[in-house]
Amino acid sequence: MSNLLEKDVVIVGGGPAGLSAALVLGRGRKRVLLCDAGTPRNARAEHMQGFVTRDGMPPSEFRAIGREQLRPYDVDLRDVRVASIQRAGSRFHVTLEDGVKVEARRVLLATGLVDEVPEVPGYRELWGHAVFQCPYCHGWEVRDRAWGLLANADASLYVDFALFLKGWSSNITLYTQGGFQLSAEQRERLVRAEVRIVEGRVQRLVLSADAKGLEAVELEDGTRVPQDVLVVHPPQRQVPLVRDLGLALDETGFVKVDATLETSLPGVYAAGDLTTRLQGALLSAAAGAQAAYRMNHLLNMEAVGAGPAK
């Protein structure tokens, strides 16, 4: 028996973007293969926030409902990693890690990104809880607590971000990590807004007695600064499959897409966190739907000879 599958669209990634795209395409009567493998990027988060009608829902429950709602449609959902994607004329040959080969007319990448969590003691244990990167996702629950902002790049970016965080708490500390010198004007802006400036390097995070929260940030000289939460923007990288495709990336490493969310490789689309710093479940779901609308339109038009195959 041949293990070759024929699909209209292969979707790589089963988070909000992938599930949303699969729903739109399924309802458009397309044959879809949705491949989902690996640990979701928000696996450490206990709840999703800011997603209308889903505020406070655990990510695992969101994914389970999304999968269940695909059941009426021609969506083949497999927990398997995609090993490779190759263009073959107007089609794509997709090979799964279990050896199954698929021929598809379009591909949607919804793989998210990999957060490179630093090897600072205490950091990994608190990641997604007391250590986070999105105040819209976590800020309400820890409003008016002692917040720290850990810098790792351009001074102007973090000065503005520290001021921005004042909307959630009046108690903000900026850790420059010794990575840059604040100008007199930048320092004056922070002081005027009552943002504390700590310029020593962070050595470790001190966990609370129950090991579930953050008690303090410890510097290399042993100084401990009491903190309840820490906001960070760790480096991010694309998954190997995206890098192997040789897609054009922007100067910050995100996949370049046009207004229709098509990448530099015609017929391959991308939606969600891998394309933008503006990351969140609601935004990813919207992007997945947008890409699906475009692909479904093109596939319908091609089927009646009204558009060239791409």
Side-chain angles (χ1 to χ4, degrees):
M1 179 182 296
S2 172
N3 62 356
L4 176 67
L5 299 177
E6 293 187 6
K7 298 292 181 180
D8 294 309
V9 180
V10 169
I11 300 173
V12 188
L19 290 170
S20 179
L23 182 60
V24 169
L25 290 165
R27 290 182 58 79
R29 304 186 67 185
K30 298 301 177 288
R31 300 166 301 166
V32 179
L33 172 62
L34 174 60
C35 297
D36 190 19
T39 302
R41 202 172 148 235
N42 63 354
R44 294 295 302 275
E46 295 179 351
H47 304 97
M48 292 171 46
Q49 308 291 353
F51 198 130
V52 62
T53 79
R54 295 294 180 264
D55 192 48
M57 175 177 284
S60 59
E61 183 178 343
F62 174 87
R63 294 167 74 92
I65 292 173
R67 286 178 167 223
E68 178 63 26
Q69 291 184 345
L70 294 176
R71 290 174 62 87
Y73 311 111
D74 192 358
V75 177
D76 182 2
L77 201 159
R78 300 191 178 201
D79 293 317
V80 63
R81 195 177 303 276
V82 172
S84 67
I85 300 172
Q86 295 180 323
R87 179 140 194 163
S90 63
R91 304 293 177 107
F92 294 92
H93 288 171
V94 179
T95 302
L96 310 185
E97 279 198 341
D98 60 7
V100 171
K101 298 185 183 299
V102 187
E103 185 176 88
R105 298 166 68 189
R106 295 291 191 282
V107 171
L108 173 64
L109 301 174
T111 58
L113 290 163
V114 178
D115 293 310
E116 297 185 328
V117 180
E119 296 302 323
V120 175
Y123 194 116
R124 193 171 295 276
E125 294 91 326
L126 298 176
W127 179 242
H129 301 287
V131 179
F132 57 84
Q133 58 182 321
C134 176
Y136 289 105
C137 301
H138 298 273
W140 169 262
E141 286 69 28
V142 291
R143 62 195 182 279
D144 296 326
R145 305 284 293 277
W147 288 39
L149 172 60
L150 189 64
N152 61 11
D154 181 74
S156 60
L157 172 66
Y158 282 94
V159 169
D160 286 345
F161 198 65
L163 298 175
F164 167 71
L165 293 180
K166 295 284 288 188
W168 282 272
S169 174
S170 61
N171 187 345
I172 304 292
T173 299
L174 173 62
Y175 295 87
T176 70
Q177 289 279 78
F180 51 78
Q181 292 294 320
L182 293 168
S183 68
E185 187 272 338
Q186 289 170 334
R187 190 176 295 274
E188 193 275 333
R189 289 178 68 201
L190 292 170
V191 170
R192 186 171 63 246
E194 298 184 331
V195 173
R196 181 179 182 180
I197 303 167
V198 175
E199 298 179 288
R201 293 192 64 81
V202 173
Q203 176 173 267
R204 73 184 182 101
L205 306 183
V206 181
L207 276 61
S208 59
D210 62 4
K212 295 181 179 179
L214 176 64
E215 180 178 295
V217 171
E218 184 175 296
L219 307 179
E220 286 182 332
D221 65 3
T223 300
R224 289 189 176 185
V225 182
Q227 296 287 187
D228 295 314
V229 296
L230 193 63
V231 182
V232 299
H233 288 145
Q236 297 175 317
R237 59 179 170 82
Q238 300 289 346
V239 300
L241 180 66
V242 171
R243 299 199 302 268
D244 292 345
L245 282 169
L247 303 178
L249 306 179
D250 67 18
E251 63 278 1
T252 54
F254 296 108
V255 174
K256 283 186 176 182
V257 292
D258 64 15
T260 68
L261 301 186
E262 190 172 30
T263 70
S264 59
L265 180 59
V268 175
Y269 292 73
D273 294 353
L274 75 164
T275 68
T276 177
R277 174 44 105 177
L278 195 59
Q279 299 166 359
L282 180 60
L283 296 167
S284 293
Q290 180 185 346
Y293 294 145
R294 177 60 176 173
M295 288 185 288
N296 192 64
H297 176 84
L298 291 174
L299 291 169
N300 283 357
M301 297 305 285
E302 288 169 14
V304 295
K310 295 179 64 180

